[in-house]
Amino acid sequence: MDYRRSGIRELLASAPGVRVEAFGWVKTRRDSKGITFVQLNDGSCFADLQVVVEAGVLPEEDLKRVGTGACVRFGGELVASPGAGQSVELKADDLTVFGEADPTTYPLQKKGATMEFLREIAHLRVRGNTFGAVSRVRNRASWAVHKFFQERGFSWIHTPIITASDCEGAGAMFAVTSLLEHGETGFKMRSTDPADDFFGKPAYLTVSGQLNVETQALGLTNVYTFGPTFRAENSNTARHLAEFWMIEPEMAFCDLEGDMNLAEEFVREVVGDVLEACAADIEFFNARIEKELLATLNHVVSSPFERMTYTEAVDHLVNSGESFEHPVEWGSDLQSEHERWLTEKKVGRPVILTDYPKEIKAFYMKMNDDGKTVRAMDVLVPRIGELIGGSQREDDLGRLEARIDELGLPKAAYWWYLDLRRFGSAPHAGFGLGFERLMMYLTGMKNIRDVIPFHRAAGQAEF
Ligand code: 4AD
Ligand code: MG
């Protein structure tokens, strides 16, 4: 056995009349008039291979072990399929059962299983239609992300996962320490002095690679990260994870306008690539998960995003006549309900909001001449709300220091970040796209916990 065998995807695209082997897991088995039909899937594509076993061809005691969930190998001839839905099927005359699955206890067997139930069997759910499709789309979208940036000459940067700085100033970080010991009665601290800790100072799991990747942009010009980030905010929503993947491009010699242009091009191209490469998976999502999916995605590929300032957006919200749960006025942070109203009801397609009040955005964003708003942009999309957050960065040393002081942030710790403005400062901009939010957008899946193989959220670290 070698990994270079033909997968079911290749077999289904082959011409009949050849002898082949097929490996995979049994989706269903049906017996009718002395013929056994087995739907076999190996995850290489959405479609199953239909295997037909005529009575008496295989030993009865072997065929008995072929039930839903079993892992098997069939050998036989690929023949033209009389049935609808596939052009070829496998007429089997040889069988190996690698692993049986007891149909009375196999959890994936359950009819009408809910997403919540499937989440509890995340180690098995990838064998089903929905999660196989999610995984293939996730893989292809990752590849499309790299392709997009690599074709434009961006360098992929690996930023550290452990960090001593709080990029977003949000304060919701997971501490990384070697001072904890598992005592008999729970955790015990070896010392409470950060100087005794592994890094000699408090350290955390990163909330964003941005500060580090800015250093690389001011030397390599166009760069991006694509890696895991962590947030300890205990927001138990369908759009937040404690561990999620973020893509953060950063460009020297780029302003907010250029940043928005890149974001728009990026979303459009990744969506277009996935639509083409994962057509069968997307069709499944459109039929079974979100009936507007194909229409929305095709629309994104073909129409420009709307752009408006935060101030204009607040005006629209105030005059909307809607009764929002959270009232909105100039200066308030927009909630998901506001973002969704803007993109779904007001505009009907993705919208980029710019120039937010400085009070609700991070310290590093470039100040506008009005002294009140910053060169920030958020990309909002229907069904999801915020997909991207980005900005032009403050490249003036004096203004950045003043902002850090104003917010009471530990200026000394930012010495290296400030050095970028001290030595060869350049106008630069970037953004962060939450990969799982993009996955929700691409698949129509309603809960962010279902677009990553093993989700991390409050109270959730099984598997
Ligand atoms: O808007 P955010 O916080 O921006 C940053 O982290 C910047 N440093 C990005 C940059 O300019 N380089 O996060 C960026 C995106 C959000 O728009 C959202 O899509 C996603 O990350 N995101 C989350 N996704 C899942 N779970 C969470 N808890 C998320 N928090 C943010
Ligand atoms: Mg944001």
Side-chain angles (χ1 to χ4, degrees):
M1 274 188 283
D2 185 83
Y3 77 93
R4 276 165 295 203
R5 77 192 75 83
S6 294
I8 285 174
R9 180 191 172 97
E10 287 115 283
L11 295 181
L12 288 172
S14 305
V18 282
R19 223 195 131 71
V20 298
E21 293 184 290
F23 296 78
W25 291 265
V26 175
K27 272 254 181 77
T28 56
R29 169 192 176 143
R30 183 165 57 85
D31 292 279
S32 152
K33 299 187 199 117
I35 303 184
T36 303
F37 296 93
V38 175
Q39 296 298 121
L40 195 66
N41 191 282
D42 67 354
S44 59
C45 61
F46 185 83
D48 306 322
L49 174 69
Q50 173 155 287
V51 181
V52 183
V53 188
E54 284 168 11
V57 172
L58 292 173
E60 200 46 48
E61 67 272 21
D62 289 346
L63 198 54
K64 258 202 329 237
R65 302 166 67 207
V66 179
T68 298
C71 181
V72 300
R73 170 197 152 277
F74 281 108
E77 194 188 342
L78 206 59
V79 299
S81 175
Q86 70 266 325
S87 61
V88 290
E89 61 188 30
L90 178 60
K91 194 172 160 211
D93 56 30
D94 190 15
L95 164 67
T96 313
V97 179
F98 295 118
E100 280 177 78
D102 180 351
T104 61
T105 52
Y106 181 51
L108 212 60
Q109 170 98 311
K110 229 172 112 171
K111 285 268 173 293
T114 61
M115 291 294 168
E116 287 73 19
F117 170 73
L118 291 169
R119 216 173 283 149
E120 287 166 20
I121 53 161
H123 58 304
L124 296 172
R125 66 180 178 174
V126 73
R127 298 186 202 169
N129 283 336
T130 306
F131 292 93
V134 165
S135 291
R136 281 184 298 274
V137 168
R138 192 174 167 109
N139 168 64
R140 183 66 196 200
S142 307
W143 191 83
V145 165
H146 285 300
K147 179 163 163 278
F148 176 87
F149 288 116
Q150 295 295 329
E151 282 176 358
R152 285 162 180 76
F154 283 61
S155 294
W156 181 23
I157 306 297
H158 304 134
T159 48
I161 284 171
I162 299 174
T163 173
S165 50
D166 175 5
C167 172
E168 294 304 297
M173 303 199 290
F174 291 103
V176 176
T177 178
S178 62
L179 293 179
L180 272 187
E181 279 170 6
H182 293 260
E184 291 207 334
T185 53
F187 286 126
K188 212 170 68 192
M189 299 289 288
R190 278 196 289 115
S191 157
T192 53
D193 184 355
D196 293 334
D197 207 346
F198 190 88
F199 298 104
K201 55 161 94 171
Y204 307 92
L205 293 180
T206 186
V207 297
S208 157
Q210 180 194 325
L211 301 192
N212 290 89
V213 92
E214 276 188 53
T215 70
Q216 306 298 292
L218 299 190
L220 297 171
T221 304
N222 288 334
V223 297
Y224 70 106
T225 67
F226 187 177
T229 48
F230 307 85
R231 301 201 180 175
E233 58 210 321
N234 197 350
S235 40
N236 202 4
T237 79
R239 302 177 315 122
H240 289 87
L241 289 169
E243 175 178 312
F244 64 100
W245 286 61
M246 193 162 26
I247 296 136
E248 296 184 275
E250 191 73 31
M251 297 76 67
F253 321 116
C254 187
D255 58 13
L256 188 68
E257 186 73 24
D259 202 28
M260 290 191 283
N261 293 343
L262 183 82
E264 191 170 333
E265 225 175 295
F266 177 50
V267 172
R268 189 171 297 137
E269 197 163 306
V270 172
V271 169
D273 181 282
V274 169
L275 272 175
E276 207 181 302
C278 301
D281 293 316
I282 300 292
E283 251 167 57
F284 165 79
F285 289 122
N286 190 65
R288 301 291 291 274
I289 303 289
E290 167 58 55
K291 65 182 190 328
E292 297 292 317
L293 185 66
L294 264 174
T296 325
L297 295 181
N298 282 321
H299 186 54
V300 166
V301 174
S302 60
S303 60
F305 296 5
E306 177 89 17
R307 296 180 187 192
M308 67 171 80
T309 64
Y310 166 90
T311 304
E312 287 164 343
V314 169
D315 281 346
H316 289 313
L317 287 162
V318 168
N319 298 322
S320 67
E322 296 275 328
S323 55
F324 294 112
E325 191 187 327
H326 305 268
V328 58
E329 56 176 13
W330 200 93
S332 41
D333 206 354
L334 300 185
Q335 303 295 319
S336 155
E337 54 173 340
H338 309 130
E339 296 176 339
R340 291 191 58 175
W341 181 84
L342 285 164
T343 176
E344 289 168 14
K345 301 265 166 56
K346 178 71 194 165
V347 178
R349 59 196 158 96
V351 53
I352 312 184
L353 299 193
T354 62
D355 303 290
Y356 284 74
K358 64 176 182 192
E359 285 79 13
I360 57 172
K361 288 293 180 188
F363 74 96
Y364 50 70
M365 297 190 180
K366 191 167 181 63
M367 190 74 73
N368 277 316
D369 291 337
D370 63 10
K372 290 194 302 199
T373 58
V374 288
R375 303 250 72 194
M377 64 110 172
D378 275 10
V379 179
L380 316 178
V381 299
R383 286 192 280 110
I384 315 292
E386 181 187 338
L387 176 66
I388 289 178
S391 66
Q392 186 170 339
R393 318 307 188 189
E394 185 55 81
D395 52 353
D396 179 89
L397 178 64
R399 284 189 181 201
L400 186 56
E401 284 185 314
R403 192 72 189 121
I404 287 176
D405 288 337
E406 202 178 349
L407 290 167
L409 294 169
K411 191 157 77 186
Y414 288 108
W415 67 272
W416 55 270
Y417 189 69
L418 292 167
D419 261 6
L420 301 178
R421 281 72 181 166
R422 219 168 257 132
F423 308 113
S425 188
H428 63 291
F431 64 78
L433 173 140
F435 189 58
E436 286 73 23
R437 298 255 176 108
L438 178 67
M439 279 296 299
M440 293 175 76
Y441 193 52
L442 286 168
T443 59
M445 295 292 285
K446 305 289 182 288
N447 195 311
I448 198 165
R449 298 165 188 215
D450 298 328
V451 294
I452 185 165
F454 301 104
H455 73 280
R456 295 288 173 262
Q460 259 311 326
E462 193 73 37
F463 311 106

